[in-house]
Amino acid sequence: MRLPLSPKASPCYSPPMTSHTFENIRNFSIVAHIDHGKSTLADRLIQQTGTVAARDMVEQVLDSMDIERERGITIKAQTVRLDYRAKDGKDYILNLMDTPGHVDFAYEVSRSLAACEGSLLVVDASQGVEAQTLANVYHALDAGHEIVPVLNKIDLPAAEPDRIKQQIEDVIGLDASNAVPISAKTGIGIDLVLEAIVTRLPPPKGDESAPLKALLVDSWYDAYLGVVVLVRIIDGSMKKGQKIKMIGTNAHYEIDKIGVFKPKMLDVPQLGPGEIGFITAQIKQVADTRVGDTITDERKSCTDVLAGFKPAQPVVFCGLFPVDAAQFDDLRAAMGRLRLNDASFSYEMESSAALGFGFRCGFLGLLHLEIIQERLQREFNLDLIATAPSVVYKIGMSAGDVIELHNPADMPDVMKIAEIQEPWIRATILTPDEYLGSVLKLCQDRRGLQIDLNYVGKRAMVVYDLPLNEVVFDFYDRLKSISKGYASFDYNITDYRAGDLVKMSVLVNAEPVDALSMLVHRGRADMRGRAMVEKLKDLIPPHMFQIPIQAAIGGKIIARETVRALRKDVTAKCYGGDVSRKRKLLEKQKEGKKKMRQFGRVEIPQEAFIAALKMDS
């Protein structure tokens, strides 16, 4: 949600809600595939309702982070309250939640949907239904939402509204005959969207006289206010000064400040059923506020507890190390601050012989990893090295116990392992027909099992089961490359399956480099090992002695390259004379190099690590 301004930014008050306006609330979210125009539609709704003054209006007004604006993506779900006078003359309160579209931030979507009764499903009128459109609309249907289809970008020459309406009906099964045609960029049809929200979406249900029951939707840390908690009131009401209890953590607090986002913070005396707003209550840490928890009155508690959300589980792990060891404390402090506002990001300290002290971090996917890394470098001025991303493996030991392996360097002795299980995903890929062959080959090469293949209009929809460790490296980039950017991809983790996996170590001058070790499928180990040593051969600078670079599985070397030694011309001072003199000098040099190789240390530059750990193509 919106990272707040200082408390000085919200001196004004709005009148308290009265019971007769309860029917006039609409809570809705905007769901869509990436780049289909969610944030632009949110801008137009804010503009049309006059929520933000014209002079303060900027593009993607709800995307508060620089990185969101630059990449054109929403990372954090945002909320804003709009006041709208409908054509029937009634005044409505519209609580809008703008959600991310990328698969890595699906947990943000699910928690936002739980606070709403309806959704606007935005579909690009030229591109049609994409993989994330399906994923997000199923999230909304699971949450019991009423859905209003909205066709965006109808002003484009390539727009085909009638074909896309038919596609929505065929693929999703929603009636799209009364889909709202709009252009969020130019503002065409925005008034129709607002009317559809108030006429077609249901009002919230609730009982104002019942004991307080509120859903904790999100929380984040603010330097001025401490922890700010976003709440959706189900029953009862919340007032300033009220003593509340978090049922999940059994913590008790007194509300200091209560308000709504417009989109700046605006204080209100109370929040009633169906309303979405924020509270502060001198909460010190975000960890004290569990997302999905039920908030109730300290004295008059509600009897039943809300279902809540499943905690976000990290699926990709990698090590982050400072280039300069002196920055380790700065990195620790920066990670602590990021963790305050991103509960799905986890980390623990680790050390590496090659890279020194750093952290093993858990992420929801590669985009999440990239965003966190970029934020650490940009917001905290840190130079970082990331080790190869790996997934969580389950290792069944011969003794009968099962351990989780986050870092391939920590793999136990092979003789004690009964089996290794790896996570598998169910991937849905939509692609134009001409790229179907390349997409199928890519999935087959990554050990995929085809589940389904059918057509959505002119495009093929392929469903595959794939091992996650084949996807985290560069699958998404390869997919975009072979389909010229037209294919879309969505996945969810299904289960763990036993696989023929082995630990591949990389040895430089016979010394194992722990940061470069990885778990790979036995059938792909030779190829992965060859690619790694060839890359390292070009990256490690020549020393005074020959350096062998090897990829090994256990004691078996599967690939080798050699960095040639720098040679000094020791015979330069011999002008003519007997050849045995030259041979003697060369033999002496050879002995020296052999000794040097035995005791010499190979300095692997940091740039070599960074380049070697980039996703291999």
Side-chain angles (χ1 to χ4, degrees):
M1 315 312 161
R2 169 147 297 280
L3 295 180
L5 305 170
S6 76
K8 293 172 186 169
S10 53
C12 42
Y13 282 79
S14 71
M17 267 197 63
T18 52
S19 55
H20 73 271
T21 60
F22 180 64
E23 284 291 311
N24 296 1
I25 299 174
R26 297 291 183 273
N27 297 322
F28 68 99
S29 60
I30 305 177
V31 293
H33 186 74
I34 311 150
D35 283 340
H36 279 205
K38 294 182 298 297
S39 297
T40 312
L41 174 57
D43 286 354
R44 294 294 84 77
L45 293 172
I46 289 167
Q47 208 169 9
Q48 188 89 358
T49 53
T51 305
V52 173
R55 67 175 181 275
D56 297 328
M57 197 67 201
V58 290
E59 280 190 34
Q60 275 78 48
V61 69
L62 293 181
D63 289 346
S64 54
M65 285 187 244
D66 290 342
I67 198 165
E68 288 181 309
R69 292 174 183 280
E70 283 171 26
R71 287 174 175 247
I73 57 172
T74 301
I75 295 166
K76 195 90 176 111
Q78 308 278 4
T79 186
V80 63
R81 175 163 162 165
L82 315 172
D83 295 318
Y84 173 62
R85 174 158 289 177
K87 288 179 181 172
D88 60 7
K90 289 184 186 171
D91 289 325
Y92 288 89
I93 289 171
L94 313 179
N95 289 310
L96 153 67
M97 287 199 160
D98 179 25
T99 59
H102 199 280
V103 62
D104 282 14
F105 305 112
Y107 74 102
E108 287 280 348
V109 178
S110 59
R111 75 166 68 153
S112 301
L113 296 178
C116 303
E117 285 76 36
S119 290
L120 298 181
L121 172 66
V122 180
V123 181
D124 187 318
S126 59
Q127 292 181 341
V129 175
E130 300 273 13
Q132 270 304 107
T133 315
L134 286 171
N136 287 337
V137 80
Y138 291 147
H139 278 312
L141 290 168
D142 289 345
H145 278 204
E146 187 69 39
I147 294 173
V148 174
V150 175
L151 295 184
N152 191 19
K153 308 187 187 181
I154 56 158
D155 55 330
L156 292 181
E160 300 175 83
D162 294 333
R163 182 177 70 80
I164 304 304
K165 280 183 189 177
Q166 191 60 47
Q167 199 182 80
I168 292 170
E169 290 182 4
D170 294 345
V171 180
I172 303 172
L174 278 177
D175 176 18
S177 56
N178 56 355
V180 185
I182 67 159
S183 166
K185 194 172 184 181
T186 59
I188 298 167
I190 300 301
D191 52 337
L192 299 175
V193 175
L194 287 163
E195 282 301 310
I197 290 166
V198 299
T199 55
R200 289 162 61 181
L201 295 184
K205 295 183 176 72
D207 181 0
E208 199 166 7
S209 58
L212 171 66
K213 187 201 294 182
L215 173 69
L216 198 159
V217 182
D218 199 5
S219 58
W220 60 92
Y221 187 80
D222 176 80
Y224 295 97
L225 303 170
V227 177
V228 180
V229 178
L230 189 86
V231 292
R232 156 71 204 267
I233 314 294
I234 310 294
D235 291 326
S237 61
M238 225 177 221
K239 302 178 184 69
K240 187 177 176 179
Q242 184 177 2
K243 289 190 166 63
I244 55 167
K245 178 173 80 172
M246 312 259 186
I247 290 179
T249 54
N250 199 29
H252 297 249
Y253 301 102
E254 183 178 327
I255 297 173
D256 291 335
K257 185 180 176 72
I258 187 165
V260 295
F261 292 108
K262 296 199 78 177
K264 290 181 180 175
M265 294 174 111
L266 178 74
D267 288 2
V268 295
Q270 74 171 60
L271 291 172
E275 287 201 276
I276 296 173
F278 71 87
I279 59 165
T280 64
Q282 291 187 8
I283 303 167
K284 298 289 183 287
Q285 295 182 49
V286 174
D288 299 337
T289 56
R290 194 181 300 160
V291 169
D293 200 353
T294 307
I295 301 174
T296 188
D297 192 85
E298 188 180 71
R299 296 188 190 85
K300 194 180 173 188
S301 300
C302 61
T303 50
D304 54 331
V305 178
L306 296 165
F309 311 126
K310 282 189 292 190
Q313 288 294 327
V315 295
V316 176
F317 284 82
C318 91
L320 289 178
F321 295 84
V323 169
D324 177 3
Q327 285 193 317
F328 174 74
D329 287 333
D330 298 338
L331 176 60
R332 191 198 334 241
M335 285 191 165
R337 287 184 60 184
L338 272 193
R339 178 82 176 78
L340 286 174
N341 289 329
D342 188 350
S344 59
F345 166 56
S346 60
Y347 65 93
E348 59 186 32
M349 194 177 145
E350 75 166 355
S351 63
S352 154
L355 300 171
F357 288 106
F359 292 92
R360 190 89 193 150
C361 307
F363 307 93
L364 298 174
L366 282 185
L367 179 70
H368 191 210
L369 184 161
E370 216 178 298
I371 298 278
I372 292 285
Q373 197 177 342
E374 195 167 325
R375 286 186 67 188
L376 286 168
Q377 288 169 335
R378 182 185 296 195
E379 295 174 25
F380 302 98
N381 257 342
L382 297 168
D383 286 334
L384 300 175
I385 300 168
T387 64
S390 69
V391 297
V392 183
Y393 299 94
K394 289 185 177 173
I395 299 186
M397 306 299 285
S398 306
D401 52 330
V402 177
I403 61 169
E404 284 193 350
L405 180 72
H406 294 180
N407 187 350
D410 300 333
M411 188 163 163
D413 182 1
V414 184
M415 301 308 291
K416 296 178 182 175
I417 296 173
E419 68 167 9
I420 303 175
Q421 293 189 337
E422 59 181 335
W424 279 64
I425 62 168
R426 175 71 49 94
T428 305
I429 301 167
L430 281 126
T431 176
D433 194 34
E434 61 262 39
Y435 309 116
L436 179 60
S438 304
V439 170
L440 293 177
K441 185 177 183 305
L442 175 67
C443 293
Q444 291 299 134
D445 289 348
R446 299 303 171 97
R447 301 192 281 130
L449 303 172
Q450 189 175 320
I451 304 300
D452 192 16
L453 169 59
N454 53 46
Y455 279 83
V456 178
K458 296 175 188 172
R459 291 184 308 161
M461 185 166 84
V462 193
V463 180
Y464 257 89
D465 276 0
L466 287 157
L468 184 61
N469 78 338
E470 298 286 354
V471 173
V472 297
F473 273 93
D474 60 345
F475 183 85
Y476 191 66
D477 292 342
R478 298 282 301 139
L479 179 68
K480 286 291 179 191
S481 171
I482 61 178
S483 67
K484 295 189 169 61
Y486 285 108
S488 63
F489 169 67
D490 176 61
Y491 70 86
N492 59 294
I493 292 177
T494 50
D495 56 359
Y496 274 77
R497 301 180 196 176
D500 187 10
L501 299 166
V502 289
K503 177 185 172 183
M504 187 182 81
S505 307
V506 175
L507 296 93
V508 176
N509 200 22
E511 291 281 327
V513 182
D514 58 347
L516 298 175
S517 60
M518 60 179 77
L519 253 67
V520 292
H521 190 266
R522 197 181 294 275
R524 290 173 59 82
D526 288 9
M527 188 190 73
R528 195 57 78 72
R530 247 190 326 271
M532 183 63 91
V533 296
E534 282 170 11
K535 195 181 274 188
L536 281 170
K537 182 193 173 189
D538 298 331
L539 295 168
I540 294 177
H543 287 51
M544 291 303 292
F545 51 93
Q546 190 173 291
I547 304 168
I549 303 167
Q550 299 159 309
I553 295 171
K556 182 186 173 189
I557 304 297
I558 57 168
R560 170 176 171 142
E561 289 286 343
T562 306
V563 179
R564 291 187 59 184
L566 288 169
R567 284 197 64 178
K568 181 182 175 188
D569 187 0
V570 290
T571 62
K573 60 189 176 185
C574 298
Y575 297 101
D578 188 4
V579 71
S580 59
R581 171 76 177 135
K582 290 186 178 179
R583 195 174 292 133
K584 188 179 173 186
L585 286 167
L586 289 169
E587 286 296 325
K588 193 176 174 186
Q589 183 188 41
K590 198 172 173 184
E591 285 299 314
K593 284 191 180 296
K594 193 173 174 186
K595 192 174 179 183
M596 200 185 283
R597 186 180 151 197
Q598 204 174 341
F599 300 106
R601 280 182 56 82
V602 178
E603 292 296 328
I604 305 176
Q606 303 287 15
E607 304 79 57
F609 271 114
I610 296 165
L613 296 170
K614 285 225 170 94
M615 330 275 144
D616 43 350
S617 54

